[in-house]
Amino acid sequence: MNPIEGHLSTRSPLHNILAPTGIAIVGASADPTKRGYKAMVGLIKDGYRGNIYPVNPKAGMILGVRAWPSIAAIHGNPELALLCTPAPSVPGLVAECGRRGIKGAIILASGFAEMGEEGARLEREMMAKAAAHGVRVIGPNTSGVFNLHHHLNLLALDGLKAGDIGIISQSGNMLLALALEAQHNGQVGFSTYVGPGNQSDIGFNDYLRYLGEDEHTRVATLYVEGFRDGRRFLEVARDVTAVKPVVVYKSGSTEQGQKAASSHTGALAGSYQMTVDVLRQSGVSVVQYSDEILPVAEGLGLLQKARGKRVAVIADGGGQATIAADRLAEAGLTLAKLSEETRSQLRAILFPQASTLNPVDVAGSSDANPSLLARCMEIVAADDNVDSVFLVGMFGGYSLRFAESLLGDEMRGAEAMVDLSNVTTKPLVVYSLYAPIKPPALRRMHEAGLPIYASIEHAVRVLAALGERGQYLAERKRQAPFAAVTPVPSVQAMLASARQAGRDLLEYEAKALLGDHGITVPEERVVRGADELAQVAAELGDQLLAMKVVSRDILHKSDAGGVRLNLRGTAALKEAYQQIMTSARIYDANARIEGVLVTPMADKGVEVIIGMMRDPIFGPVLMFGLGGVFVEILEDVAFRALPLSRFDATCMIDQIKAKKVFEGVRGAAAIDKKALTELLLNVAHIVEAYPEIQELDLNPVIAYPDGYAVVDARVIVERAADGFFPTEPIKKEPA
Amino acid sequence: MNPIEGHLSTRSPLHNILAPTGIAIVGASADPTKRGYKAMVGLIKDGYRGNIYPVNPKAGMILGVRAWPSIAAIHGNPELALLCTPAPSVPGLVAECGRRGIKGAIILASGFAEMGEEGARLEREMMAKAAAHGVRVIGPNTSGVFNLHHHLNLLALDGLKAGDIGIISQSGNMLLALALEAQHNGQVGFSTYVGPGNQSDIGFNDYLRYLGEDEHTRVATLYVEGFRDGRRFLEVARDVTAVKPVVVYKSGSTEQGQKAASSHTGALAGSYQMTVDVLRQSGVSVVQYSDEILPVAEGLGLLQKARGKRVAVIADGGGQATIAADRLAEAGLTLAKLSEETRSQLRAILFPQASTLNPVDVAGSSDANPSLLARCMEIVAADDNVDSVFLVGMFGGYSLRFAESLLGDEMRGAEAMVDLSNVTTKPLVVYSLYAPIKPPALRRMHEAGLPIYASIEHAVRVLAALGERGQYLAERKRQAPFAAVTPVPSVQAMLASARQAGRDLLEYEAKALLGDHGITVPEERVVRGADELAQVAAELGDQLLAMKVVSRDILHKSDAGGVRLNLRGTAALKEAYQQIMTSARIYDANARIEGVLVTPMADKGVEVIIGMMRDPIFGPVLMFGLGGVFVEILEDVAFRALPLSRFDATCMIDQIKAKKVFEGVRGAAAIDKKALTELLLNVAHIVEAYPEIQELDLNPVIAYPDGYAVVDARVIVERAADGFFPTEPIKKEPA
């Protein structure tokens, strides 16, 4: 479907498309309110070095450039076309581009899939033409493109600075907002921007791959309303994040926002939490608020990743130190425990009333001597317990606040911080109250590549992103390669038979499948007649037992009276067996009843659930959560895409908000996280080995201080396209 | 203790102290690095109109002003003194101030209670002198004071604009940060600033009362690390929020931050969540992040409160509209459902592809006609379903982005928005991507009193604060006056006897107390011998029963084997009775055992807890939460200070994060919220009626679709100072 795929060993074709030697502007115009005018102006003003071919039926000259009546009429070899014409004209123009040898077309028009069925039809027609003529399409419904290092500015945006932040944004206004923020920041510049629009051909994954390869891009920054091929995106993201940071803002964190987004780009917004979880799994730095996008992108681009999450705070006032401590803790960062050596070095240069605990509060020591703060940063940066250094307070403003004569010392301090940033492997993050008015010391540091933050909240987001990125890359390096699992022939046969029958696995079959792949399952029996019960009772010993009807036709066993709990002894089993049979017959006289499953009651423990679904955007995704009310009320669950690494499995468990439950409450012992991790990995292996498994649910699993019990398991099998039996709609059984 | 209290009918003495006709600067200096120099410069530069009396042993002239060798030597009548000298000199100088008739002293020195026991001793000495000589003290350990409308700037801060935001900040750097942010904002000005420091005399409540009365202050803004007299603060806040907004940032949201705060000001940080809950109960707008303080204060000061939480969004681009929709939903605001009339009016002026659902997306309609956005705002503002209007996008930048010729129309749009803001009763909140570069249309609106936000996140915080304030004031107006409860003599006697005995109420006594005040309690019996059991069994009918030992000496009944559950019939009761007696004797041979409480087992339902504690900062505080793991793991609880209104009680229940449980999960019916509300009110009344109740716990209460059951109740009684029996340390029994 997407011709860019399968060429991973070659460079992305976007490098050529986005740096053409000639460009056709179809719908070029001398009317200043038209996009066909603006694009011309942008190219000319920014000094585009290739040839510009305006296309307009009236031909003549446009902005001093010779225009052509049609694409076909152009003398020259444009490599890229910008189509500024309305939607209905687009399919024909795309074909014309192809015939003229143009390899890429940027389609601004809206009125395609985002506008309903008629638009979708037009989009399909356009894509058929594009495929037939070998034209790659950016858009439709795109806000446009720029590639500043090639002087290609089709947005005619003023005040853009070439730099190293690449942007892919499904909203043109978001790009504009970032551009204005960058202009105000003064130091941030951009490499390439693309609006992917409807992504009918080239999608987020292709653009990300391009930015990953682009030598001018240091950070890839994305505003996403919806992915098309999310699974492919994750693969690309995993590759790109290994070499440079990828920052994503995903809209649609609420139902209200998802509705707004789908009317905007026509894309499925998808589950927000799932999207965030799987992006993070691929090393992406996800930002939660739109006003954090640029600060985090700038910080990740300029600063080194941190080895870990232990931050040393150097402050010259208690208030901001307190706020910093709060925000760091909320972001999952910790205050580094400074070594005795570090503290004694600090004590040697600070006033006696200073605090050398972390946050270090210099308590006036730097009032007449602001460069002392640089010295403090140097001291804590040398401490092995410290992963990053956070300067908090009024550095940069000492000469304004106290005495102009301090300016020299303050500038020396700024130089010392710049020098330190060049020799240390630890990130230095600077928050200054004076940032809004940009005094000389801060300007000097910013020019030298040290970002300066005017908000403690933003600075902490940067510290968190640096710490997460550092830990993530280190953990990923440690991961053993993913071991492929060989399917077991008997399991394959069982799945094939269920598939042919148009049914899902029965509970005991599902558990047997789990058991075949290293998962501990209860010792249980299917009883096909009351006369077998005495023997089963003897085999299963003196434990409390549960009985559940076994029938491919009864999905809701409890509703059918097909479940009995807390049974002990042959007599009780026999009575329950008869009752289950009677109830099941009343419930559905035609149900094919295979027998009754006799299984031990699980001891009390912590109820968790594990599920796998094949997500339309991200493919097979594993879910883990606390069971019972926690999953229903609090939606306290974690998602990871497959393949799943051991690190991923560990992170899933640690991500649960109510994870304190795992440590033991009300006197209970901590649960066996190692066993749960193995269980998650085994489930992942099973899903990879049997693509015919459509959905899988272990619900509940009871976790114990030693091991776990899988109480119920469901395996939903892909329906055979030509099965003999009619397939039932797949309904979930209430837990 | 605090002389300002008890004078509520008179104006705060701070009005005089902060607008003195003469001021003594003790420790005035010609050395530019000294505070005694800075204060002089600040007064002179800002044109202070009163007399300045520098005090310095060397006398002479300081900055052209005649100095005096001591306070006593001053010719003239200073009303206020600024003490810039070190801590040890302070007690003597305070006395000297008093003798000279000076009514207020601002003490900059640190080295008092925040520095440990020796400092605390010095602080007590200073306070004794102040009380003896009738001097009111600001500080010590204060960053200082300004009152810009009186040209009193003791901080010598440059670039301050007189305006209507009053600030009380326990951090001088926080004031500085806000001042720099205001300078950058360009429109925000300040009235009075005070650093309360250690609040050894004048506290947050006094300063807030002053700002509430001050005609120059439209919004009171506070940075708080810890309150001293929190209860009094709540009372003042309740009065002040009725007339003007109060914005509070409370630090110490995490343990890490609380530690940092307590080393800074020496104040108890208190429980963050309790503080936030009781502040909101008093109508305070609490902001969570430090970078929201100024935006929210500015918005609350300039804009009208909203009637409710239904927001109409007008957008000119899908991306920001989506982000706005997400943030609004997260903040508990809703997208207003626009009326058919409104939508048809919008359709009449917008392009056909525009969306007239909310968010309204003009989809290019305003590109050549930006003032159209003002017209859209006017239309939605007239809709009864709309409580506030949120403009999102690039207004202000049309003439920059599209064509300079649009400037005239854009300015007309700005005027129309200003006009609309003057006639509508609904707040208009504007987010513009162009805010960072302040184009003329935005500058015009800002000058006319419409704040302009550069962050969607901040704009939404303002909308939320306006909606919360509007709803809060409306609800408070509707509240019936709090009905005082008359203590019941028999209950008073029971409490007095427990108090004399140095013990808490027994469970059955606690339940009787509850029952005496309209709370439904189980029908239960205290059995004082096995022979009574047959009759009790008959009386309580054929229900499952629980038995619990009744002994003032056994606090942990379960540990003592003193609890048996799920009993039915006389035989079972007798067996359990004997067993409880035996176990209790083994547990504590000397325990005075009164008998056994026989009580019905509660049916299954939703487990909640209700508690009351006397908080050292806020006095009696009620807590409500979900029971079991919810309270232990998620700390999902709500606090309210007493007295409790019906509105407060409703809000407590609605505040629970997992409140979906109340609506019924897994097929259960919704619980009886009305009964729970009554229960909370009854508990509040009991606590008010009996000040000798030190702590009260109903844990658990089981809530049903119809009513509730109080399963266990504990009442901890204040110990008599001269009780005959030694008092035991109060330990909580594990639930």
Side-chain angles (χ1 to χ4, degrees):
Chain A
M1 187 188 97
N2 189 330
I4 212 168
E5 286 180 20
H7 292 265
L8 256 184
S9 53
T10 63
R11 264 167 76 84
S12 161
L14 279 163
H15 295 286
N16 292 328
I17 293 175
L18 294 175
T21 55
I23 179 167
I25 310 293
V26 184
S29 165
D31 175 349
T33 67
K34 302 281 187 191
R35 270 307 292 274
Y37 170 90
K38 293 203 145 319
M40 293 285 299
V41 169
L43 288 170
I44 294 165
K45 250 177 56 180
D46 280 28
Y48 173 61
R49 292 178 197 144
N51 296 311
I52 308 174
Y53 305 98
V55 176
N56 187 306
K58 295 179 202 139
M61 300 287 279
I62 294 174
L63 286 166
V65 182
R66 180 178 170 180
W68 307 89
S70 69
I71 297 170
I74 293 171
H75 288 187
N77 294 302
E79 294 179 307
L80 177 65
L82 175 73
L83 308 188
C84 310
T85 57
S89 69
V90 166
L93 288 171
V94 166
E96 211 179 320
C97 284
R99 283 192 291 266
R100 196 66 188 70
I102 294 172
K103 294 284 172 231
I106 301 168
I107 301 169
L108 300 180
S110 59
F112 290 91
E114 84 284 3
M115 294 289 276
E117 191 34 51
E118 204 183 328
R121 194 197 45 73
L122 192 66
E123 194 166 315
R124 285 193 297 272
E125 184 191 336
M126 179 268 288
M127 277 310 297
K129 293 261 159 71
H133 292 87
V135 180
R136 301 304 309 268
V137 170
I138 295 175
N141 190 24
T142 167
S143 51
V145 160
F146 65 60
N147 180 353
L148 299 184
H149 294 279
H150 284 85
H151 306 275
L152 179 86
N153 178 356
L154 295 175
L155 278 89
L157 268 187
D158 286 332
L160 288 176
K161 188 168 153 172
D164 47 26
I165 294 186
I167 300 186
I168 314 296
S169 169
Q170 247 170 336
S171 154
N173 273 9
M174 176 48 74
L175 180 262
L176 199 52
L178 295 174
L180 288 158
E181 211 184 318
Q183 197 176 328
H184 183 248
N185 171 299
Q187 297 299 325
V188 171
F190 300 109
S191 53
T192 297
Y193 164 72
V194 183
N198 291 7
Q199 311 175 69
S200 49
D201 173 17
I202 310 181
F204 270 114
N205 52 325
D206 306 303
Y207 296 118
L208 179 61
R209 185 181 147 207
Y210 160 79
L211 289 182
E213 290 167 358
D214 179 39
E215 56 186 344
H216 296 293
T217 299
R218 224 150 116 176
V219 190
T221 306
L222 286 75
Y223 169 83
V224 180
E225 303 208 332
F227 292 104
R228 291 248 181 240
D229 186 351
R231 188 158 181 76
R232 181 86 186 101
F233 183 85
L234 297 180
E235 287 164 15
V236 175
R238 204 179 140 83
D239 289 344
V240 174
T241 54
V243 295
K244 57 183 80 168
V246 176
V247 176
V248 171
Y249 177 92
K250 170 69 175 68
S251 73
S253 63
T254 65
E255 212 181 307
Q256 194 164 287
Q258 290 186 359
K259 267 189 212 155
S262 76
S263 77
H264 180 218
T265 55
L268 274 177
S271 148
Y272 180 76
Q273 202 208 321
M274 183 195 288
T275 306
V276 169
D277 280 357
V278 299
L279 288 175
R280 292 215 164 110
Q281 183 189 6
S282 303
V284 169
S285 305
V286 180
V287 296
Q288 202 185 345
Y289 298 121
S290 64
D291 59 5
E292 293 172 349
I293 300 173
L294 204 73
V296 169
E298 188 190 14
L300 283 173
L302 291 176
L303 301 169
Q304 331 216 22
K305 59 187 183 284
R307 275 183 322 181
K309 302 191 168 181
R310 300 166 305 170
V311 182
V313 177
I314 308 287
D316 53 14
Q320 270 86 5
T322 300
I323 297 171
D326 277 332
R327 288 300 98 73
L328 290 169
E330 287 164 4
L333 300 168
T334 57
L335 289 172
K337 193 173 156 29
L338 301 180
S339 72
E340 217 10 84
E341 166 65 12
T342 300
R343 295 188 62 194
S344 94
Q345 283 188 47
L346 289 170
R347 268 192 296 265
I349 60 169
L350 298 177
F351 288 172
Q353 68 264 36
S355 167
T356 61
L357 287 166
N358 190 5
V360 174
D361 184 349
V362 302
S365 313
S366 57
D367 284 5
N369 179 21
S371 68
L372 189 75
L373 293 169
R375 181 69 197 114
C376 292
M377 291 169 82
E378 214 178 302
I379 292 170
V380 298
D383 190 325
D384 278 345
N385 299 330
V386 171
D387 297 322
S388 52
V389 180
F390 187 16
L391 179 67
V392 162
M394 54 186 204
F395 186 76
Y398 277 77
S399 48
L400 294 164
R401 179 75 192 109
F402 293 117
E404 240 175 274
S405 58
L406 293 175
L407 184 59
D409 188 62
E410 194 154 33
M411 293 305 290
R412 274 190 294 281
E415 287 306 328
M417 291 181 198
V418 170
D419 291 346
L420 175 61
S421 75
N422 290 328
V423 297
T424 177
T425 58
K426 300 173 184 179
L428 313 179
V429 173
V430 177
Y431 156 79
S432 171
L433 354 162
Y434 282 87
I437 62 167
K438 298 185 186 171
L442 297 182
R443 214 175 306 139
R444 165 65 190 128
M445 287 157 71
H446 206 173
E447 280 162 11
L450 272 176
I452 305 293
Y453 294 100
S455 148
I456 295 178
E457 279 74 12
H458 290 175
V460 168
R461 286 311 321 151
V462 172
L463 283 158
L466 292 165
E468 281 158 17
R469 180 161 164 73
Q471 279 203 330
Y472 172 84
L473 290 177
E475 286 297 337
R476 206 163 79 171
K477 213 181 272 178
R478 273 203 284 276
Q479 292 301 309
F482 185 74
V485 171
T486 318
V488 175
S490 63
V491 172
Q492 281 178 314
M494 178 169 74
L495 287 166
S497 132
R499 190 160 180 241
Q500 273 307 314
R503 67 166 177 91
D504 303 321
L505 293 194
L506 294 163
E507 181 180 338
Y508 76 89
E509 294 174 322
K511 285 181 177 163
L513 184 162
L514 301 177
D516 280 342
H517 288 280
I519 294 174
T520 310
V521 285
E523 196 195 350
E524 56 189 26
R525 301 280 185 278
V526 178
V527 172
R528 292 180 174 82
D531 47 334
E532 294 176 25
L533 282 168
Q535 194 191 332
V536 164
E539 280 172 16
L540 296 179
D542 184 35
Q543 52 188 336
L544 278 175
L545 298 171
M547 281 178 119
K548 310 183 198 177
V549 66
V550 177
S551 165
R552 65 174 67 180
D553 299 312
I554 298 176
L555 284 178
H556 303 290
K557 296 188 277 263
S558 296
D559 292 358
V563 178
R564 287 287 303 274
L565 304 176
N566 294 314
L567 307 167
R568 202 195 301 267
T570 311
L573 290 177
K574 283 193 170 162
E575 182 271 325
Y577 182 91
Q578 294 308 344
Q579 200 197 1
I580 284 176
M581 286 298 170
T582 311
S583 304
R585 289 269 167 255
I586 294 168
Y587 182 76
D588 179 355
N590 299 317
R592 286 159 288 183
I593 295 173
E594 193 176 318
V596 166
L597 181 67
V598 183
T599 183
M601 293 292 297
D603 290 336
K604 284 201 174 175
V606 177
E607 196 178 321
V608 300
I609 58 171
I610 294 172
M612 185 285 295
M613 65 226 71
R614 297 198 183 260
D615 183 73
I617 298 172
F618 294 110
V621 171
L622 215 62
M623 184 190 79
F624 170 75
L626 273 166
V629 282
F630 282 99
V631 63
E632 288 183 41
I633 301 293
L634 301 172
E635 294 168 15
D636 194 2
V637 294
F639 296 94
R640 290 297 180 278
L642 264 50
L644 188 83
S645 71
R646 185 171 299 274
F647 176 57
D648 293 334
T650 318
C651 290
M652 282 182 100
I653 299 172
D654 284 343
Q655 183 184 322
I656 297 302
K657 293 183 214 92
K659 65 180 167 188
K660 270 197 217 168
V661 172
F662 299 147
E663 310 309 331
V665 272
R666 300 188 161 190
I671 62 150
D672 186 348
K673 279 200 207 174
K674 212 169 153 299
L676 273 192
T677 307
E678 291 302 323
L679 175 57
L680 285 166
L681 284 167
N682 279 327
V683 170
H685 293 162
I686 289 170
V687 174
E688 304 246 37
Y690 305 101
E692 57 271 53
I693 297 180
Q694 200 58 26
E695 256 185 61
L696 187 152
D697 270 308
L698 312 192
N699 181 8
V701 174
I702 312 293
Y704 301 118
D706 181 12
Y708 57 81
V710 177
V711 173
D712 200 353
R714 284 165 55 81
V715 170
I716 293 184
V717 182
E718 195 188 32
R719 295 298 185 252
D722 54 352
F724 287 102
F725 298 94
T727 61
E728 291 179 69
I730 298 166
K731 272 186 274 174
K732 289 205 84 164
E733 190 174 4
Chain B
M1 187 188 95
N2 191 330
I4 211 168
E5 286 178 20
H7 293 264
L8 256 184
S9 53
T10 64
R11 265 167 74 83
S12 161
L14 278 164
H15 295 286
N16 292 328
I17 293 175
L18 295 176
T21 55
I23 179 168
I25 309 293
V26 183
S29 166
D31 175 350
T33 67
K34 301 281 186 193
R35 270 308 291 275
Y37 170 90
K38 292 201 145 319
M40 294 285 297
V41 168
L43 289 170
I44 295 166
K45 248 175 58 178
D46 280 26
Y48 174 61
R49 292 177 198 145
N51 296 312
I52 308 174
Y53 305 97
V55 176
N56 187 307
K58 294 179 205 140
M61 301 287 279
I62 293 175
L63 286 163
V65 182
R66 179 178 173 180
W68 308 89
S70 68
I71 297 169
I74 293 172
H75 289 187
N77 293 305
E79 294 179 308
L80 177 65
L82 174 73
L83 308 189
C84 310
T85 56
S89 69
V90 166
L93 289 171
V94 165
E96 210 177 321
C97 284
R99 283 190 292 264
R100 195 67 189 70
I102 295 173
K103 293 283 170 230
I106 302 168
I107 301 168
L108 300 180
S110 59
F112 290 91
E114 84 284 2
M115 293 290 276
E117 193 32 56
E118 203 183 329
R121 195 196 46 72
L122 193 64
E123 194 166 314
R124 285 194 298 273
E125 184 191 338
M126 180 268 289
M127 278 308 298
K129 293 261 160 69
H133 292 87
V135 179
R136 300 304 308 268
V137 170
I138 295 176
N141 190 22
T142 167
S143 51
V145 159
F146 65 61
N147 181 353
L148 298 184
H149 295 278
H150 284 84
H151 307 276
L152 179 85
N153 178 355
L154 296 175
L155 279 87
L157 267 187
D158 285 331
L160 288 177
K161 189 169 153 171
D164 48 25
I165 295 186
I167 301 185
I168 314 296
S169 169
Q170 247 169 336
S171 154
N173 273 8
M174 175 50 74
L175 180 263
L176 198 52
L178 294 173
L180 288 159
E181 210 184 318
Q183 197 177 328
H184 183 247
N185 171 300
Q187 296 300 325
V188 171
F190 300 108
S191 52
T192 297
Y193 164 72
V194 184
N198 292 8
Q199 309 174 69
S200 49
D201 173 16
I202 310 180
F204 271 113
N205 51 325
D206 305 302
Y207 296 119
L208 179 60
R209 183 180 149 209
Y210 160 79
L211 290 181
E213 291 168 356
D214 179 37
E215 56 186 344
H216 295 294
T217 298
R218 224 150 116 175
V219 191
T221 306
L222 285 75
Y223 169 84
V224 180
E225 303 208 333
F227 292 104
R228 291 248 181 240
D229 186 350
R231 189 157 181 80
R232 182 83 186 103
F233 183 85
L234 297 180
E235 287 163 15
V236 175
R238 205 179 140 82
D239 290 343
V240 174
T241 55
V243 294
K244 58 183 79 169
V246 176
V247 176
V248 171
Y249 177 93
K250 170 68 175 70
S251 73
S253 63
T254 65
E255 211 180 307
Q256 195 165 285
Q258 290 187 359
K259 265 188 214 156
S262 75
S263 76
H264 180 217
T265 54
L268 272 179
S271 148
Y272 180 76
Q273 201 206 321
M274 183 195 288
T275 307
V276 168
D277 280 357
V278 299
L279 288 175
R280 292 214 163 109
Q281 182 189 8
S282 304
V284 169
S285 305
V286 179
V287 295
Q288 202 185 343
Y289 298 121
S290 64
D291 58 6
E292 292 172 349
I293 300 173
L294 204 73
V296 169
E298 187 190 13
L300 283 173
L302 292 176
L303 300 169
Q304 331 216 21
K305 58 187 183 286
R307 276 183 322 182
K309 300 193 169 180
R310 301 165 305 168
V311 182
V313 177
I314 309 286
D316 54 12
Q320 269 86 4
T322 301
I323 297 171
D326 278 331
R327 287 301 97 73
L328 289 170
E330 288 164 3
L333 300 167
T334 58
L335 289 173
K337 193 173 156 30
L338 301 179
S339 73
E340 218 8 85
E341 166 65 13
T342 301
R343 293 188 62 193
S344 94
Q345 284 188 49
L346 288 171
R347 269 192 294 266
I349 59 168
L350 297 177
F351 289 171
Q353 68 267 34
S355 167
T356 61
L357 287 166
N358 189 6
V360 174
D361 184 350
V362 301
S365 313
S366 56
D367 283 7
N369 178 21
S371 67
L372 189 74
L373 294 169
R375 181 71 197 113
C376 293
M377 290 168 83
E378 214 178 301
I379 293 170
V380 299
D383 190 324
D384 278 344
N385 300 330
V386 171
D387 297 323
S388 52
V389 181
F390 187 16
L391 179 67
V392 163
M394 54 187 204
F395 186 76
Y398 278 77
S399 49
L400 293 165
R401 178 77 190 106
F402 293 118
E404 241 174 274
S405 59
L406 293 175
L407 184 58
D409 188 63
E410 195 155 32
M411 292 307 289
R412 275 190 294 282
E415 288 305 330
M417 291 180 198
V418 170
D419 290 347
L420 175 61
S421 75
N422 290 327
V423 297
T424 177
T425 58
K426 300 173 184 178
L428 313 179
V429 173
V430 178
Y431 157 78
S432 171
L433 352 164
Y434 282 87
I437 63 167
K438 300 184 186 171
L442 298 182
R443 216 176 303 139
R444 165 66 190 126
M445 288 157 69
H446 206 172
E447 280 163 12
L450 272 175
I452 306 292
Y453 294 100
S455 148
I456 295 177
E457 279 74 14
H458 289 175
V460 168
R461 285 311 321 151
V462 172
L463 283 159
L466 292 165
E468 282 158 16
R469 180 160 164 76
Q471 279 202 331
Y472 172 84
L473 290 178
E475 286 297 338
R476 205 163 80 170
K477 214 182 272 178
R478 275 202 282 277
Q479 293 301 307
F482 185 75
V485 171
T486 319
V488 175
S490 63
V491 171
Q492 282 178 313
M494 177 170 73
L495 286 165
S497 130
R499 190 159 181 244
Q500 273 308 314
R503 67 168 177 91
D504 303 320
L505 293 194
L506 295 163
E507 180 180 339
Y508 77 89
E509 292 174 322
K511 285 180 177 164
L513 184 162
L514 300 177
D516 280 340
H517 288 279
I519 294 174
T520 311
V521 286
E523 196 195 349
E524 55 188 26
R525 302 279 184 280
V526 177
V527 172
R528 292 182 174 80
D531 47 335
E532 294 175 26
L533 282 167
Q535 193 189 333
V536 165
E539 281 171 16
L540 295 180
D542 184 36
Q543 51 188 336
L544 278 174
L545 297 171
M547 283 178 119
K548 310 182 199 177
V549 67
V550 177
S551 165
R552 65 175 65 179
D553 298 314
I554 298 178
L555 284 177
H556 304 290
K557 296 190 275 262
S558 296
D559 291 0
V563 178
R564 287 288 304 271
L565 304 176
N566 294 313
L567 306 167
R568 201 193 302 267
T570 311
L573 290 178
K574 284 193 171 162
E575 183 270 325
Y577 182 90
Q578 294 309 343
Q579 201 197 358
I580 285 175
M581 287 298 170
T582 312
S583 303
R585 289 269 167 254
I586 293 168
Y587 182 76
D588 179 356
N590 300 318
R592 286 158 288 184
I593 296 172
E594 192 177 320
V596 167
L597 181 68
V598 182
T599 184
M601 293 292 298
D603 291 337
K604 283 202 175 177
V606 176
E607 194 177 324
V608 301
I609 57 171
I610 293 173
M612 186 282 296
M613 65 225 72
R614 298 198 183 259
D615 183 72
I617 298 171
F618 294 110
V621 171
L622 215 62
M623 183 191 79
F624 170 75
L626 275 165
V629 283
F630 282 99
V631 62
E632 288 184 42
I633 300 295
L634 300 172
E635 294 168 15
D636 193 3
V637 294
F639 297 94
R640 291 295 180 279
L642 263 51
L644 189 82
S645 72
R646 187 171 297 277
F647 176 58
D648 292 335
T650 319
C651 290
M652 281 183 100
I653 298 171
D654 285 343
Q655 183 185 322
I656 297 301
K657 292 184 216 93
K659 65 180 167 189
K660 270 198 217 167
V661 172
F662 299 146
E663 308 310 329
V665 273
R666 301 189 160 189
I671 62 150
D672 186 349
K673 277 198 208 175
K674 210 169 154 301
L676 273 192
T677 307
E678 290 303 322
L679 175 56
L680 285 166
L681 284 168
N682 279 327
V683 170
H685 293 163
I686 290 170
V687 174
E688 304 245 37
Y690 306 101
E692 58 271 53
I693 297 180
Q694 200 58 28
E695 255 183 62
L696 186 153
D697 270 307
L698 311 192
N699 181 9
V701 174
I702 312 293
Y704 301 117
D706 182 12
Y708 57 80
V710 177
V711 173
D712 201 353
R714 284 164 55 82
V715 169
I716 293 184
V717 182
E718 195 187 32
R719 295 298 185 252
D722 54 351
F724 287 102
F725 297 94
T727 59
E728 289 180 70
I730 298 165
K731 269 186 273 172
K732 288 205 85 164
E733 190 173 3

